[in-house]
Amino acid sequence: MKQPYKFWKREELYHHCMKQALEFGFDVLEIKEIVFDKRWIPQEDFNGCNLVQDIYHPFYPCLKHDFDWIVGEGGLKADQTFYNNLKKSGMLTIKAKIWFFGVRLGWLLWYKWKKKKF
């Protein structure tokens, strides 16, 4: 797995995501909880937006989505939150729907089964 944030500190991820929170209205407390949560190592577990280029580097909707899949239960609710966050960041509806469709396929074809550990 790629690790584009391997040499970042959690504080750096936090500050970059906070800029997006201020711009787009993301929950600042949620960002802090996600970045500093001890159940994962975002510098290793978060690889950006997998098959597409991050709009911002790092892109908070993708960070939250990876957190929801890795630490949380993943699934439809996480993917719907991802879609809503894409829209909140100003992404066009059609592009957000394509990205949503992509993560749904990824969940249904692979990550759901990986989460269950086969």
Side-chain angles (χ1 to χ4, degrees):
M1 179 169 89
K2 294 181 181 180
Q3 296 178 328
Y5 304 103
K6 182 177 180 130
F7 300 110
W8 288 47
K9 294 180 179 162
R10 285 183 192 246
E11 292 79 13
E12 291 174 294
L13 285 170
Y14 174 71
H15 289 295
H16 281 270
C17 290
M18 285 301 294
K19 290 176 187 176
Q20 292 173 56
L22 296 174
E23 178 74 21
F24 302 119
F26 295 124
D27 184 335
V28 296
L29 295 176
E30 178 183 74
I31 290 172
K32 187 172 185 178
E33 290 171 9
I34 289 171
V35 170
F36 293 102
D37 193 301
K38 300 295 184 197
R39 295 175 291 174
W40 80 323
I41 303 170
Q43 302 93 318
E44 296 175 12
D45 297 331
F46 172 54
N47 61 359
C49 300
N50 289 346
L51 299 176
V52 295
Q53 178 64 46
D54 292 34
I55 293 173
Y56 301 102
H57 181 66
F59 189 34
Y60 177 68
C62 293
L63 177 76
K64 168 136 176 64
H65 190 252
D66 279 11
F67 176 82
D68 288 344
W69 274 21
I70 292 167
V71 175
E73 295 297 315
L76 181 59
K77 183 177 178 186
D79 296 346
Q80 289 170 330
T81 299
F82 176 63
Y83 174 79
N84 292 335
N85 283 337
L86 293 174
K87 294 290 295 165
K88 193 174 207 175
S89 71
M91 185 178 281
L92 294 174
T93 299
I94 187 68
K95 188 172 182 178
K97 285 182 179 181
I98 291 168
W99 284 30
F100 173 79
F101 180 72
V103 297
R104 286 306 301 147
L105 277 178
W107 176 260
L108 295 170
L109 297 177
W110 175 251
Y111 288 98
K112 174 181 177 179
W113 309 108
K114 181 179 178 185
K115 189 94 173 154
K116 291 183 180 189
K117 301 193 192 292
F118 294 84

